[in-house]
């Protein structure tokens, strides 16, 4: 069990970063609530990824704010607003990238919420516009992970614990972001 801090959440009914970055973000009513409700197999209630077939096994995104702090320092710019990265759950004290291909539970005081760590949440070119020039390349390999919502529950900002399941055996290559063979039709 690891003690962490949940520093924030981002919940948005639509994508703000669509189209050309030079056109600027779309005006979308993004919220940064103190609590979120996660539904198993669905995602965060009210979020753009919830219940979408294309985001099955990727309903929730997780990012360590330490990665954003490191990138800002490397680029020599002021600290970024972590909400601009638009990841669902923002943490401090958690090695997020180590959770790829692992099942884990986050408990913020209302009971554990199980998530399945999947592929990397790759940064997009928008990061050069909304964070700083060079942020897109600097965030590669540390922009967080996409997760499947395996159980339902509530998470809140503040202190939390993370428990990683060690009984899962070998991670599924598709969920760990590793190369795998696709089936082809004959």
């Amino acid at each position: 069990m690891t003690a962490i801090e949940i520093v924030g959440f981002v919940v948005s009914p639509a994508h703000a970063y669509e189209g050309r970055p030079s056109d600027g973000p779309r005006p979308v009513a993004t919220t940064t609530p103190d609590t979120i409700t996660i539904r198993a197999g669905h995602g965060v209630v009210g979020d753009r990824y919830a219940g979408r077939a294309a985001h099955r096994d990727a309903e929730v995104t997780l990012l360590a704010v330490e990665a954003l702090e490191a990138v800002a320092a490397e680029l020599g710019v002021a600290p970024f607003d972590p909400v601009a990265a638009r990841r669902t759950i923002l943490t401090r004290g958690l090695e997020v990238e180590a959770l790829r291909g692992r099942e884990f539970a986050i408990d913020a005081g209302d009971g554990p919420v199980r998530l399945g760590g999947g592929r990397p949440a790759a940064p997009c070119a928008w990061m050069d516009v909304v964070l700083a020039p060079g942020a897109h390349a600097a965030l590669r390999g540390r922009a967080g992970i996409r997760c499947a919502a395996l159980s339902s529950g509530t998470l809140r900002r503040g202190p939390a614990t993370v428990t990683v399941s060690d009984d899962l055996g070998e991670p599924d290559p598709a969920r760990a972001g590793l190369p795998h063979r696709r089936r082809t039709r004959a």
Side-chain angles (χ1 to χ4, degrees), residues 36-40 43-45 60 89 113 115 149 151-155:
I36 59 171
T37 301
I38 296 177
R39 288 186 18 215
V44 177
V45 173
V60 178
I89 303 171
V113 175
L115 300 171
S151 73
S152 299
T154 300
L155 294 176

Side-chain angles (χ1 to χ4, degrees), residues 31-127:
T31 61
T32 55
D34 289 332
T35 63
I36 59 171
T37 301
I38 296 177
R39 288 186 18 215
H42 181 79
V44 177
V45 173
D47 192 63
R48 63 201 177 280
Y49 296 121
R52 305 246 181 203
H55 293 283
R56 193 164 290 127
D57 293 332
E59 299 111 344
V60 178
T61 55
L62 200 64
L63 175 66
V65 295
E66 292 92 340
L68 293 174
E69 293 166 348
V71 167
E74 289 167 17
L75 296 175
V77 298
F80 305 129
D81 175 2
V83 172
R86 299 193 50 90
R87 299 297 188 242
T88 315
I89 303 171
L90 303 163
T91 67
R92 180 173 299 286
L94 180 62
E95 292 185 41
V96 170
E97 305 300 329
L99 297 173
R100 289 192 348 214
R102 314 273 316 266
E103 184 176 313
F104 59 98
I106 301 175
D107 190 338
D110 294 309
V113 175
R114 287 182 25 250
L115 300 171
R119 67 187 186 272
C124 65
W126 278 93
M127 296 301 100

Side-chain angles (χ1 to χ4, degrees), residues 10 20-22 28-29 32 55 63 71-72 79 96-97 108 120 122-123 128 130 144 162 165 180:
V10 175
R20 296 179 191 169
S22 61
V28 174
T32 55
H55 293 283
L63 175 66
V71 167
V96 170
E97 305 300 329
D128 284 348
V130 298
V162 173
S165 174
H180 64 282

